[in-house]
Amino acid sequence: MIQKIDHTMFAGHGPIKVLYPGLSLSQTDTGIGSIGRIDHPEFHGNTIIRMHPHANDEIVSYFRSGLSEHKDSEGIVENIDKHKLMFMKAGRSFYHEEKILGTDEPLEGLQIFIRPGKKDLEPKVVFMDLESIHSENKWRLLGSPTNETAFQFSSQTWLFDMKLLANQDATLPPLIKDDLTYLLYVFKGSATINSDIHLQKKESVVVKDEQIKIKVIEDTELVLFVTDEETEIFKGGMYSGNQVKI
């Protein structure tokens, strides 16, 4: 199965565009497995997102330009940017504030809302310093369900990124499990999948039980989400949870 998600699936009229990827596949779940929601913020200038709560969300702040100062209810204050990523495991309750410093350079990136494996886990914040801003022509594993990564999801979820240089091609990374669902997202640039599916910035493709070839003619930044839809997750998170009222 290969299903394209067009950029028109994003909602929102302000600087933060919101994607519920599950709506491209069904009307009963706004997420796909543990992939609950993807925000693509673009802030020009300074702003403050005041202290606000999260519950039962696992959130990766993946910024590619600009700077944000994070402050939370645990007393942690830290800057995050393209050199440093952040992972918030909100658990049963967590508050944070973001001061966006986007005057010198606009802030753009992703905030990725992953569904936890269980409800009301202990809250935790983890930061990751990147050795290089980009991983060129090679998938970089940022998060996984195991301790091989600093970002350890409580669900069966993997997160990769890669900058695929012009006129190069790639395939999906091999994983130890079968029957996984892949969501390939174009953060910047454009890509062609299997010669006939064309993706621009903010477009993506869902892949299951298929082999694909990714081809680019310009430098393209890709983010890859992988989920095991057959394992346990909690779908009641404040932002990552299923938003469909059944």
Side-chain angles (χ1 to χ4, degrees), residues 7 25 31 52 54 59 73 98 120 154 183 188 190 195 198-199 207-208 230 236 246:
H7 67 89
L25 303 178
H52 60 281
H54 286 276
I59 309 161
S73 52
E98 302 294 336
D120 294 343
S154 62
L183 174 60
K188 184 178 181 180
S190 59
S195 302
H198 304 289
L199 304 177
V207 181
K208 189 167 185 177
E230 302 304 318
I246 301 175

Side-chain angles (χ1 to χ4, degrees), residues 169-200:
D169 57 65
T171 58
L172 298 175
L175 289 175
I176 60 173
K177 302 185 71 173
D178 295 325
D179 300 321
L180 298 173
T181 302
Y182 297 77
L183 174 60
L184 176 67
Y185 183 85
V186 176
F187 178 78
K188 184 178 181 180
S190 59
T192 300
I193 309 300
N194 291 351
S195 302
D196 60 351
I197 300 175
H198 304 289
L199 304 177
Q200 302 295 321

Side-chain angles (χ1 to χ4, degrees), residues 96-108:
H96 76 115
E97 175 180 289
E98 302 294 336
K99 183 185 294 183
I100 295 166
L101 309 172
T103 299
D104 295 333
E105 181 183 47
L107 184 140
E108 183 178 7

